[in-house]
Amino acid sequence: MSKILHIISSPRGEASNSIKLANAVIDQLRMKDPGAAVHVKDLTRSPFPHLEEAHLNAFFTPAEKHTAENKAAISHSDQAIAELFDADIIVIGAPMYNFSVSSTLKAWIDHVARAGITFKYTDHGPEGLISGKKVYLAVTTGGIYSSGDYAAVDFLTPYLKFMLGFIGLDDVTVFRAEGFALSGVQDTALDKGIDSVKI
Ligand SMILES: Cc1cc2nc3c(=O)[nH]c(=O)nc-3n(C[C@H](O)[C@H](O)[C@H](O)COP(=O)(O)O)c2cc1C
């Protein structure tokens, strides 16, 4: 029985295209493994803060020297990292905001990328410390970035893939639903995106 972690970063609830696309991925995963357990982490309901001094102090203090204050500052980061290590499959819904990830998703990334825990520096460069997971991205956009002039300004997908790989999550498949802001495309954007999901 696999464990699926579904990360939501759109605040639009039932209207969200990235949640619908991610759910299409999860539906197919559950068809293959009906016993799969899904843990939903909605970053918009319990948002991660920008990194503050207390977080950085805790990040860069060895665990054995953590004070009660350090432990409190780091508890949400510890929990988010534990969820990543615990999952077999991670499905991330990622709406494009201003050509990149939303700040909601970026804040989560800032709390799960931790030296010595999810990556480390070695003589041959940085090494990710989470391994053996499959990641699916459900990327939704107002424009079209899979091809054409705007492909070069998709700073979301390459960034997210690189960053996940940096912490060891290097087996990433991207599904897109795109063109939600384009007349003539928007009406079929979601169906087309969902149809592209083949697990
Ligand atoms: C604040 C904001 C910024 C956005 N920026 C972009 C953008 O830079 N490029 C783009 O193609 N779409 C942009 N969009 C459109 C969303 O990516 C698109 O509507 C997407 O489907 C939203 O996902 P959701 O339905 O899961 O919330 C933006 C939407 C919002 C609300």
Side-chain angles (χ1 to χ4, degrees), residues 10 13 37 62-63 78-79 105 107 113-114 142 150-151 167 169 172-173 178 184 190:
S10 167
D78 284 344
Q79 189 191 337
L105 186 56
R114 275 177 51 195
Y150 279 83
I167 59 174
L169 300 168
V172 180
T173 300
E178 53 184 355
L190 182 61

Side-chain angles (χ1 to χ4, degrees), residues 10-12 15-19 95-100 140-145 177 180:
S10 167
R12 299 200 318 121
S16 163
N17 295 311
S18 58
I19 295 176
M96 177 181 280
Y97 280 4
N98 301 314
F99 302 98
S100 188
T140 55
T141 55
I144 290 183
Y145 301 87
F180 289 101

Side-chain angles (χ1 to χ4, degrees), residues 152-195:
V153 293
D154 174 3
F155 299 106
L156 185 165
T157 319
Y159 166 70
L160 202 45
K161 283 180 77 174
F162 175 83
M163 198 57 228
L164 292 166
F166 187 76
I167 59 174
L169 300 168
D170 49 16
D171 185 357
V172 180
T173 300
V174 180
F175 296 111
R176 292 175 185 269
E178 53 184 355
F180 289 101
L182 302 176
S183 60
V185 177
Q186 57 198 179
D187 293 345
T188 53
L190 182 61
D191 286 346
K192 215 173 145 192
I194 289 175
D195 283 350

Side-chain angles (χ1 to χ4, degrees), residues 90-107:
I90 299 150
V91 181
I92 302 177
M96 177 181 280
Y97 280 4
N98 301 314
F99 302 98
S100 188
V101 293
S102 64
S103 56
T104 308
L105 186 56
K106 177 62 165 60

Side-chain angles (χ1 to χ4, degrees), residues 8 10 38 45 48 65 74 76 83 105 118 123-125 129 133 135 142-143 161 164 172 181 183 188:
I8 290 174
S10 167
V38 181
R45 286 180 189 268
F48 283 77
K65 292 192 175 158
I74 222 164
H76 291 95
E83 288 164 350
L105 186 56
T118 55
D123 291 343
H124 50 274
L129 296 175
K133 320 282 181 191
V135 181
K161 283 180 77 174
L164 292 166
V172 180
S183 60
T188 53

